[in-house]
Amino acid sequence: MDPRTGMPRVGMVGGGQLARMTHQSAIALGQSLRVLSIGADESAALVTPDVEIGSHLDLDALTRFAEGCDVVTFDHEHVPTEHIRSLVAAGHAVHPGADALQYAQDKALMRHRLAASGLPVPPHRVLEPDSDLVAAAIDFGATHGWPVVVKTARGGYDGRGVWVLDDVPAVEAVAAELNGHLLLESFVVMKRELAAVVARSPFGQAAAWPVVETVQTDGICVEVIAPAPGLDPDVAAKASELALRIAGELGVVGVLAVELFETEVSADAPDGLLINELAMRPHNSGHWSMDGAVTSQFEQHLRAVLDYPLGRTDALAPFTVMGNVLGGPDSGPGSEVGMDERVHHLAARFPQVKIHLYGKAFRPGRKLGHVNVLGSDLPELRRIATLSASWLGTGIWDDGYEIHTGAAVPEPVDRSGTASASDQRMPDPTTRVS
Ligand SMILES: Nc1ncnc2c1ncn2[C@@H]1O[C@H](COP(=O)(O)OP(=O)(O)OP(=O)(O)O)[C@@H](O)[C@H]1O
Ligand SMILES: [Mg+2]
């Protein structure tokens, strides 16, 4: 309980963008999120007054942090389960609990557990530590075909920790640098990737957002379309049922994102769905809900861990498109346009776009923020989201839009006449930025 307000105090371990956006929802619920952050310049630490600096690997730091929190939850899955169990043994409420979270931490454990429940997962084989990867891949490929996908069981994100290997020489080329706990998996020939995001409370109430399509480039999510366009309603219902069933069976409390592959119907995938992985926290595939749903995934996560009744998950528009802002190269064209200037120009060109920036230091390829745009004309929404996200990440309009005239570069620009409407709308940024 926060003595200043009489409202519950939720503590979130990890100071990244998920904590930053959860804090936004905490404010609306009359709360102030407490954050355990490894640094004072992490995304959430920049905006939340109630920050403790400390490591999520340090049990003393976690214990101090948990004192005075009504419930502890997570912005990532890297807290060791034995620490979570220690916190619970000391009387702290922690959601999701270690029994559930282990399956979001370890892909081998997750595959094993879901397969044991008869849930649809790709053919896979978990390797013993120090086993011969090349021999195992040859054997696996002979049974399941090539390419063979190799994954690290723990610690992967944004495609790091996933290798799609076409043949034996490709396995030999990476085998030396791959060690630790690995699993082999069939390369799934898919129609597209989907995500079913749900939330579950300790009381057992659950709620599902519309199933979304996620678009990955080089293993990183770049775009999410809510709802997944043209998805067979029966498949959508099956995807939501899968996610709700997993949430119930694993005892998840909070948001659960189930990443899915949409495939042809087969013996492995009787509903045309295979489960890729699980996240037990707000997830990139749910960012659209901040602007596109009655209840955002961040508010819902708070409601769930506090055992409040859950909010409605209906979409507010026929489509919401989310575009991830990924940092572009740190030199070359566009890099001289600062973020403040990028926001200024985006606001002028596309006033309908909702901007969410994470306050992160620039690094090429890093997720710096996202944009959401709502409406009914899906191709146009996708065009605007993609252009906007890329502009914020790189300082370049990919369609050649000319920022000072509002004209597309390939078209002839008449600079001789009076100022155009777009000139009047948007002052020359060089007069504004020192
Ligand atoms: N078995 C597979 N067959 C085909 N493509 C795959 C397979 N496994 C993973 N991929 C591709 O690689 C991407 C990243 O894989 P995965 O989600 O397992 O890794 P991750 O790095 O943990 O991702 P995240 O950032 O979502 O945590 C997937 O979104 C998918 O595009
Ligand atoms: Mg993934």
Side-chain angles (χ1 to χ4, degrees), residues 107 158 193 219 259 276-277 283:
K107 289 178 181 172
D158 288 348
E193 295 189 55
E259 296 181 4
N276 178 30
E277 63 167 343
H283 186 257

Side-chain angles (χ1 to χ4, degrees), residues 77 107 111 122-123 149 151 155-162 164 185-190 193 214 216 218-221 259 261 276-277 281 283 367:
E77 39 266 324
K107 289 178 181 172
R111 285 270 178 270
V149 180
K151 294 187 174 184
Y157 67 99
D158 288 348
R160 283 167 227 194
V162 177
V164 178
E185 204 166 271
S186 284
F187 180 78
V188 176
V189 178
M190 63 186 91
E193 295 189 55
T214 69
Q216 271 63 231
D218 297 331
I220 300 186
C221 175
E259 296 181 4
F261 300 137
N276 178 30
E277 63 167 343
R281 51 170 168 74
H283 186 257
K367 279 182 194 164

Side-chain angles (χ1 to χ4, degrees), residues 205-371:
Q205 192 190 6
W209 283 272
V211 174
V212 301
E213 175 176 346
T214 69
V215 182
Q216 271 63 231
T217 304
D218 297 331
I220 300 186
C221 175
V222 291
E223 187 186 17
V224 172
I225 306 168
L231 183 62
D232 180 328
D234 290 339
V235 178
K238 292 284 185 196
S240 294
E241 276 169 29
L242 270 181
L244 291 168
R245 187 176 151 199
I246 292 169
E249 281 195 21
L250 302 187
V252 178
V253 169
V255 169
L256 167 73
V258 180
E259 296 181 4
L260 296 160
F261 300 137
E262 188 186 7
T263 65
E264 297 295 342
V265 171
S266 68
D268 290 324
D271 299 314
L273 295 168
L274 288 172
I275 297 164
N276 178 30
E277 63 167 343
L278 311 179
M280 295 176 194
R281 51 170 168 74
H283 186 257
N284 205 161
S285 59
H287 288 356
W288 70 276
S289 65
M290 293 176 84
D291 301 299
V294 174
T295 307
S296 82
Q297 62 166 348
F298 300 100
E299 176 176 345
Q300 198 80 300
H301 189 74
L302 288 169
R303 288 187 186 220
V305 300
L306 287 164
D307 211 3
Y308 284 2
L310 300 180
R312 292 191 59 143
T313 48
D314 315 53
L316 296 174
F319 290 106
T320 302
V321 178
M322 191 262 354
N324 265 344
V325 176
L326 303 175
D330 55 10
S331 62
S335 59
E336 72 286 353
V337 185
M339 189 57 94
D340 175 40
E341 202 175 335
R342 295 181 194 183
V343 170
H344 181 91
H345 284 288
L346 174 57
R349 183 174 179 189
F350 292 126
Q352 68 272 50
V353 167
K354 302 299 290 180
I355 300 170
H356 300 276
L357 291 175
Y358 308 153
K360 283 185 178 176
F362 186 87
R363 203 163 59 218
R366 192 176 198 198
K367 279 182 194 164
L368 303 176
H370 68 272
V371 295

